[in-house]
Amino acid sequence: MSMQKHNPQDHTPHPPHHVPHRVGGWMPHDQRVLNAWLGRQIAKVNESVKTYAQLHPVVQEFKVLIERDSEIFMGFHQMFEQVPTKPPYNNDPTGKPQIRDYMTMLRLFDMIIGTAPDFENNDLVGFPINAILDWPMGTPGGFTAFINPKVNAQFKKMFDVWAKFLGSQESRYVLNSEDNGWFGPTASAAMPGFTEMFICEPDAEYMGFRSWDDFFTRRFRPGVRPVLFPDNDAIVNSACESTIYCIAHDVKERDTFWLKGEPYSLSHMLNQDPYAPQFAGGTIYQAFLSALNFHRWVSPVNGTVRKVVYVPGTYYAESPVVGFDEAGPNLSQGFITAIAARAMIFIEADNPAIGLMCFMAVGMAEVSTCDVTVKEGEKIKKGQETGMFHFGGSTHCLIFRRQTKVTFNPDYPVGSAVPLNAAIATIG
């Protein structure tokens, strides 16, 4: 298999505490900002008078799961014990200890699932639970716990509760023009031209958004991202506003996806789907989405939806060869295509030289709901919406068969940002 892969750990000089590999903007590049945020959250729960009986029922259920299952109980102890007690893992910038036990973790979960993300101290902590689990994710105990199906089922239950809040009017309190608000000066500087680019009501309260989730899944205004070459079936377009992570050719049906280099393993990616063997030896294009932009997907080709598949999976497992990824799971994007919660849309392209292809949406952390909006048998056009990510990190893949001769647009090398509906490849 040949692979061109984005290396976010560039060699450009960076100031102290700067983390260059936090792709997508979901976490602050300055580790001190993240540590300070986490320190404030720990202080809040330590000051809280809530008893465990007063925590949200879904968090109480998580506690019961941890304490009644011996393997899970061991994992949730080891993941904290195995975090080194030396800098930078031991203390936050104020000298206070970081999280060292699952009880503190559960209290933090309870607080977070009743809040919406804001521009905390003029920076985005878009993965609050990921921030809590940042170091434990890199331990053997954390890996064992976070690939456990029972643990991931419980995370899903907890995220359903959080998603319900994020979809409510109560979640709009962060949609304001204050310093930490999403329409404040710093957030506005990070999203220039917001009102011209996205559908909203600039003069209305909350700019007309009905909830945090409504803001997160906002739509482009007509004409902002025109569909290029809509009738040319020899051209494949970008399905997401995203940055290219990897392009791989001659991908194996089965491979050691957990080892260094993270080779793709098609049968695992596609969850042993009957269609999977057709893609052996084929091509994969993977790109990740930014925290501050557009979270909906469109069809990259004209064709017909043959099948829609949802695959339950992990939320916080990262590749065991990565170790302590300060922005986990950013360095594990190839690995998580085989194990994370994801959705697949198999499309029969109108162009027979493409034939069957697959769009795969992969949740990376937090709620990460993959919401498909098309149905089996539906005829779809290039640029037509096919689904969206709800709050959380996200990456996606386009998967082509061996006989599909794909030539990628040299204007968009690996590591470059690609607009929605841009021409990314030609066929033949």
Side-chain angles (χ1 to χ4, degrees), residues 133-176:
L133 302 175
D134 209 356
W135 299 135
M137 285 166 63
T139 66
F143 179 78
T144 299
F146 296 138
I147 63 170
N148 187 298
K150 295 178 185 176
V151 171
N152 286 296
Q154 190 61 40
F155 270 125
K156 178 65 168 63
K157 285 185 181 180
M158 189 173 77
F159 291 153
D160 287 345
V161 172
W162 194 11
K164 184 176 180 180
F165 173 80
L166 294 175
S168 71
Q169 291 186 355
E170 287 74 19
S171 66
R172 296 184 297 181
Y173 70 93
V174 295
L175 304 181
N176 60 62

Side-chain angles (χ1 to χ4, degrees), residues 25-178:
W26 292 96
M27 302 273 263
H29 286 282
D30 191 333
Q31 180 70 24
R32 293 169 298 185
V33 173
L34 183 60
N35 288 347
W37 173 87
L38 185 55
R40 287 193 295 274
Q41 310 317 307
I42 294 173
K44 288 177 186 177
V45 299
N46 287 341
E47 293 166 4
S48 172
V49 296
K50 264 189 177 183
T51 66
Y52 280 100
Q54 294 172 315
L55 299 183
H56 193 286
V58 76
V59 178
Q60 294 184 45
E61 188 178 331
F62 212 141
K63 180 176 180 288
V64 170
L65 173 67
I66 291 171
E67 294 177 346
R68 290 188 179 177
D69 187 300
S70 57
E71 290 184 8
I72 296 174
F73 185 67
M74 180 171 64
F76 273 88
H77 275 81
Q78 290 179 332
M79 71 171 67
F80 295 107
E81 294 167 354
Q82 291 167 355
V83 174
T85 56
K86 61 184 181 181
Y89 313 104
N90 57 333
N91 294 329
D92 66 25
T94 67
K96 297 176 182 176
Q98 295 285 20
I99 301 166
R100 287 290 173 178
D101 61 87
Y102 73 85
M103 301 293 263
T104 303
M105 176 197 76
L106 291 172
R107 282 185 173 275
L108 287 163
F109 287 176
D110 179 74
M111 180 177 66
I112 286 169
I113 63 174
T115 63
D118 61 11
F119 234 66
E120 179 84 23
N121 272 21
N122 297 330
D123 213 330
L124 171 64
V125 182
F127 287 171
I129 292 179
N130 196 111
I132 293 167
L133 302 175
D134 209 356
W135 299 135
M137 285 166 63
T139 66
F143 179 78
T144 299
F146 296 138
I147 63 170
N148 187 298
K150 295 178 185 176
V151 171
N152 286 296
Q154 190 61 40
F155 270 125
K156 178 65 168 63
K157 285 185 181 180
M158 189 173 77
F159 291 153
D160 287 345
V161 172
W162 194 11
K164 184 176 180 180
F165 173 80
L166 294 175
S168 71
Q169 291 186 355
E170 287 74 19
S171 66
R172 296 184 297 181
Y173 70 93
V174 295
L175 304 181
N176 60 62
S177 57
E178 297 174 7

Side-chain angles (χ1 to χ4, degrees), residues 10 13 39 47 50 54 56 66 74 77 122 172 203 208 224 229 246 254 256 285 295 320 359 365 373:
D10 60 43
E47 293 166 4
K50 264 189 177 183
Q54 294 172 315
H56 193 286
I66 291 171
M74 180 171 64
H77 275 81
N122 297 330
R172 296 184 297 181
D203 298 324
V224 169
F229 308 103
C246 184
R254 293 177 183 83
T256 52
Y285 165 100
H295 302 280
F359 169 87
T373 57

Side-chain angles (χ1 to χ4, degrees), residues 3 5 245 257 259-264 319 331-335:
M3 179 182 292
K5 190 173 180 183
Y245 177 74
F257 61 88
L259 297 182
K260 186 176 181 180
E262 298 180 291
Y264 293 110
S319 173
L331 297 184
S332 302
Q333 289 189 56
F335 171 77

Side-chain angles (χ1 to χ4, degrees), residues 183 191-198 200 207 209 215 218 221:
F183 308 138
M191 299 183 291
F194 182 91
T195 57
E196 293 77 21
M197 184 173 290
F198 296 104
C200 60
M207 287 201 189
F209 292 109
F215 165 74
R218 56 194 176 271
R221 290 190 182 277

